């Protein structure tokens, strides 16, 4: 998946300033976005984060998550 330079910049900031301080659990070393326990974020947690951000910015539409099966 192509990732633009703007996105790459913020991924590097996340890796250097957030992810580097997590206790990464065995088997999740290659996972980019982790929860506080150092494990992969679940689909449900990602949806919860998006819903909370939508409320915070007063988004008038309900967020929709598409899942690949």
């Amino acid at each position: 998946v192509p990732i633009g330079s703007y996105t790459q910049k913020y991924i590097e900031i996340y890796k250097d300033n957030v992810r580097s301080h997590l206790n990464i659990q065995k088997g999740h070393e290659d996972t980019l976005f982790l929860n506080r326990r150092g494990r992969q974020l679940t689909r449900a947690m990602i949806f919860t984060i998006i819903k909370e951000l939508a409320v915070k910015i007063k988004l008038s539409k309900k967020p929709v998550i598409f899942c690949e099966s």
Side-chain angles (χ1 to χ4, degrees):
V1 176
I3 299 175
S5 59
Y6 185 79
T7 303
Q8 288 176 0
K9 173 186 169 187
Y10 283 97
I11 288 173
E12 288 302 317
I13 290 170
Y14 165 77
K15 285 170 52 180
D16 294 341
N17 297 309
V18 177
R19 192 179 187 282
S20 63
H21 298 289
L22 295 173
N23 181 19
I24 301 169
Q25 297 297 310
K26 187 175 180 179
H28 297 281
E29 299 87 356
D30 293 334
T31 303
L32 179 59
F33 297 109
L34 302 169
N35 62 22
R36 285 182 243 168
R37 294 180 188 93
R39 296 185 182 139
Q40 179 178 343
L41 284 174
T42 64
R43 191 172 51 112
M45 189 61 206
I46 292 169
F47 186 70
T48 299
I49 292 167
I50 291 171
K51 282 192 328 185
E52 289 174 359
L53 289 172
V55 168
K56 190 174 187 178
I57 65 168
K58 299 177 183 166
L59 188 66
S60 61
K61 296 188 178 196
K62 192 173 184 177
V64 176
I65 302 294
F66 295 98
C67 301
E68 294 183 32
S69 52

